[in-house]
Amino acid sequence: MTLFQRRFLVVCTLALLAVAGTAWADAVNVVCPAGAPGAYPTITAALAYLSTLPPYNAHRIDVSGTCSEFLKVQRFDDLQIQGPATLQPGAGPAPHGVVMLIINARVTLRNMTLRGAPDLGVVQVGDHANVRVEGCTVENGRGGIGVGGQSMVSVVASTIQNNSINQISVNGPAAVYIGMTDNDTVPTVIKGGNLGVNVNPGGIANIWGATTIKESVVGVQSNGGNVFFCCNAPDQRKIIDNVIGIRLYAGTLNLNGNVLVENNRWAGIQLRGGTATVNWIGGQTIRRNGTAGDLRTGGILVQTGSSLRLLAAEVSENYGSGIVVQGGSSAVLSGTTVRNNALRGVEVIAASTAELVRTTISGNASGDLFCAPNSYAFGDKAGIG
């Protein structure tokens, strides 16, 4: 070994020792509610201590027990708060309107149960924060997780449930990533309340890994934001057992890869002024949505000047019609199968159009294709009937 190599090895070894020695130099313990020898009695007390240290250090708070307090977390470059433990509202009014406010900080919440109250949100993230929620339960608040202020939140292997208004709400410019990778071993579950995932103007929701969104009035709603489902992996993204699976008032929806929209009582997908692209590798299934005998319901409702493009999707076995295009809307169906729906396969009414490209429409109980006199379908007819 040359002198240069020996010097380089010494320098690298010292650097690694320095990193190893400081990686969690600022780790503290919290035992709620009464503390313990060498442990703080509250997360607030631990944060107060850590705030006196350099903010760029890697900080960790190991929590156990049930902590009843309101938290404001700010100006940490690398902070982990991890259980197993529970955080719930403290006594008196919430100073920030939520149980936990995270601003201008990079934070990981791991193995925590975070609880709100009927008039109180659970977690609000803003002001350029970056938050990872991993293995957590966020529940029983007015809202679950709110994201805004040019912030980003990733939710992995967690359950967001039974918050009365929104389980997750994104107000732009901000983004949420749900299920960060393909082949997640533990799915994220979002359920209950009025809205599962609510995306407002300028907001982005990326639904990537194994995720189930269920038992809400509306599973996913966009009011002018952008919703992306990605990618093609064995673990499906499931939008099931809601009143409406996905609803767009404005904004865009992209369903890419394996996505199942099933058993939503009014509609699998409802577009009311939005643009939806259901495409890429395929694997999207919209089935068993709607209410038997109700013409207003079905698999996909394209309404109020909306635009739909389906590529290699399957729309089948819906209790209403498969696809209804109405109100000056348009649809392009390419390489898509629309079959075995309880009413019509494709219905085009009220000054609307549908283009068919290599699409199969068959076995639908009340007819495969219906066009009102002021509407029309065109393109490839070979797959009809």
Side-chain angles (χ1 to χ4, degrees):
M1 181 181 294
T2 67
L3 177 61
F4 173 79
Q5 289 172 326
R6 286 197 297 271
R7 286 177 176 173
F8 182 77
L9 179 61
V10 169
V11 169
C12 290
T13 302
L14 290 174
L16 289 171
L17 289 172
V19 170
T22 60
W24 294 114
D26 300 335
V28 297
N29 295 321
V30 172
V31 178
C32 294
Y40 290 96
T42 64
I43 302 173
T44 300
L47 288 170
Y49 165 69
L50 292 177
S51 68
T52 66
L53 304 176
Y56 48 78
N57 282 9
H59 306 291
R60 191 184 76 222
I61 303 176
D62 295 318
V63 189
S64 61
T66 298
C67 304
S68 301
E69 54 187 311
F70 299 110
L71 299 181
K72 182 178 181 180
V73 182
Q74 61 181 338
R75 290 192 287 274
F76 287 99
D77 290 348
D78 188 355
L79 171 67
Q80 291 193 23
I81 301 175
Q82 61 183 31
T86 297
L87 174 66
Q88 63 186 20
H96 310 294
V98 291
V99 177
M100 176 182 283
L101 174 65
I102 303 174
I103 57 174
N104 191 21
R106 182 169 174 262
V107 179
T108 296
L109 303 174
R110 181 178 290 117
N111 297 333
M112 296 288 294
T113 296
L114 308 170
R115 291 186 178 137
D119 60 346
L120 191 64
V122 185
V123 179
Q124 180 65 45
V125 179
D127 192 15
H128 301 86
N130 187 327
V131 177
R132 180 179 175 91
V133 179
E134 180 181 338
C136 292
T137 298
V138 182
E139 64 183 7
N140 300 344
R142 189 172 186 273
I145 301 174
V147 190
Q150 300 184 52
S151 296
M152 185 181 78
V153 171
S154 58
V155 180
V156 181
S158 294
T159 298
I160 320 297
Q161 65 181 4
N162 301 331
N163 300 284
S164 60
I165 305 299
N166 306 305
Q167 308 312 306
I168 297 175
S169 181
V170 188
N171 297 286
V176 63
Y177 294 81
I178 303 170
M180 284 295 289
T181 61
D182 286 340
N183 302 309
D184 285 347
T185 56
V186 178
T188 290
V189 177
I190 299 169
K191 68 175 184 176
N194 187 40
L195 300 174
V197 178
N198 185 36
V199 189
N200 290 313
I204 299 173
N206 296 278
I207 302 169
W208 283 6
T211 302
T212 297
I213 302 174
K214 64 180 182 178
E215 300 172 15
S216 298
V217 176
V218 181
V220 178
Q221 177 166 295
S222 172
N223 303 300
N226 301 293
V227 180
F228 299 91
F229 287 74
C230 182
C231 293
N232 193 54
D235 49 1
Q236 279 188 323
R237 273 54 95 194
K238 299 178 182 179
I239 315 297
I240 60 174
D241 300 329
N242 305 282
V243 177
I244 297 173
I246 302 170
R247 180 169 65 191
L248 271 71
Y249 283 112
T252 61
L253 166 68
N254 286 270
L255 299 179
N256 301 318
N258 291 320
V259 180
L260 174 65
V261 183
E262 183 177 50
N263 286 337
N264 300 285
R265 295 191 300 278
W266 185 264
I269 300 173
Q270 182 184 37
L271 309 182
R272 296 185 61 83
T275 299
T277 301
V278 183
N279 60 15
W280 200 25
I281 303 173
Q284 304 85 28
T285 302
I286 297 92
R287 71 183 181 200
R288 300 173 187 159
N289 301 284
T291 300
D294 193 335
L295 283 169
R296 301 170 298 171
T297 71
I300 303 176
L301 308 181
V302 189
Q303 304 169 330
T304 324
S306 300
S307 176
L308 170 71
R309 182 176 178 85
L310 285 181
L311 302 177
E314 178 177 319
V315 184
S316 64
E317 301 175 16
N318 293 285
Y319 302 117
S321 294
I323 302 171
V324 180
V325 188
Q326 63 187 116
S329 299
S330 63
V332 178
L333 312 182
S334 179
T336 289
T337 298
V338 184
R339 63 181 178 86
N340 299 340
N341 295 285
L343 296 176
R344 291 164 173 161
V346 177
E347 180 177 343
V348 189
I349 60 176
S352 298
T353 64
E355 179 180 358
L356 309 179
V357 182
R358 299 184 305 279
T359 286
T360 299
I361 308 174
S362 65
N364 300 284
S366 297
D368 292 321
L369 175 63
F370 172 83
C371 295
N374 62 352
S375 302
Y376 62 93
F378 63 98
D380 182 3
K381 300 179 180 179
I384 302 174

